[in-house]
Structures are given as structure tokens and as C-alpha cells.
Amino acid sequence: MYRFRPTLVTDVPDGWLVKESITILSPDGQANVIASSEPLDSAINSAEYAREQGELLGEKFPGYTQLHYAPVDVFGGHPGYYRSFQWTPPDNVPVSQFQLYLARNSRGYTATATTGLRSAHIYQDILIAILRQLFISEEDLMANDPSSAGP
């Protein structure tokens, strides 16, 4: 594996919100990991964030079946949550997904690893390894905190 660090940087107008994501694709297109962050109310903790995301999955994903859900260290050792589940998208090809959740410094972090149910045995180990390698750069976290900006 090699380390990838996003390189896009921008100034954000006051009052605007920032969402970000990174996508990692298998060479054959049969598996991927999408990690993202979004602004959150500062009162939302990781447990609430993971619970709310799980409720959305149950409501919006046809055939949703949760296989595993537990607190774990995520994104570089922060206390968060892990969920694995299966569901059937509109193309009727069942998928297996693994997710991580973290709420920290008014941001929600989610990472989703996806592969077809039939190929899950091929990709599961590498997808889990990718999820375990994701981390939040503390330097970047502080640089992206509007409350830490100078005058």
C-alpha cells in the first residue's frame, strides 16, 4: 500500500458548509471505499451519529440486513463505530458493505467499503485493511476548524 493525501485546498465563504470525500477503487471496479466528512451539530456524538446513519440505512436500503454493529477505534484510534450489512440496490445485485462512523469537532466521518455479495469473500480482507488505515490528520483537522482561524 502507499499513502495518499488529498491535495485540494480552498477558502470557504463565511456561513458556507464543506463536505469532502475520497474514493478508493479496486483495479477491476468490483470494490471501493468511500470516506467522507460532513458538518454536524456539535452536540451529536459518535453513538448518535452511528445510530442515525443506521436508521437511514434501514429506511432507504431495500433488503437491508445488519450483520454486525459494535464500538471500535476508527480513523486513527478515535472511539467510533463499525457496522457491516447487506442490501440489494435497484440493479438487483446484492452488495456487502462495511462502515465506520465518527463524530468529532462538529464533523461526521463515515467510511463505506462496498463489494458485490458474491465477491465479498475476495475483497473483504483488503476492504477492512483500507478502512483500518484511514485516519484524520490532526494538523488538517485544526486547519479546517473555523473557530481556530485567525482574525
Side-chain angles (χ1 to χ4, degrees), residues 20 29 38 50 59-60 63-64 74-75 82 86 92 111 113 132 141:
E20 62 182 326
E38 63 183 337
E59 292 170 11
K60 306 217 180 254
Y64 171 78
V74 298
F75 295 103
Y82 168 81
Q86 299 169 349
N92 287 321
R132 286 184 178 148
L141 184 64

Side-chain angles (χ1 to χ4, degrees), residues 31-103:
N32 68 68
V33 174
I34 299 173
S36 63
S37 79
E38 63 183 337
L40 281 184
D41 184 299
S42 62
I44 296 175
N45 63 32
S46 293
E48 293 171 291
Y49 186 58
R51 181 186 49 75
E52 289 173 3
Q53 295 300 311
E55 289 172 2
L56 287 172
L57 294 170
E59 292 170 11
K60 306 217 180 254
F61 283 31
Y64 171 78
T65 303
Q66 181 172 286
L67 304 174
H68 186 75
Y69 179 73
V72 296
D73 287 344
V74 298
F75 295 103
H78 302 284
Y81 288 84
Y82 168 81
R83 172 181 284 119
S84 64
F85 58 96
Q86 299 169 349
W87 69 288
T88 305
D91 63 5
N92 287 321
V93 178
V95 296
S96 188
Q97 292 189 304
F98 315 96
Q99 283 190 331
L100 303 179
Y101 309 96
L102 173 67

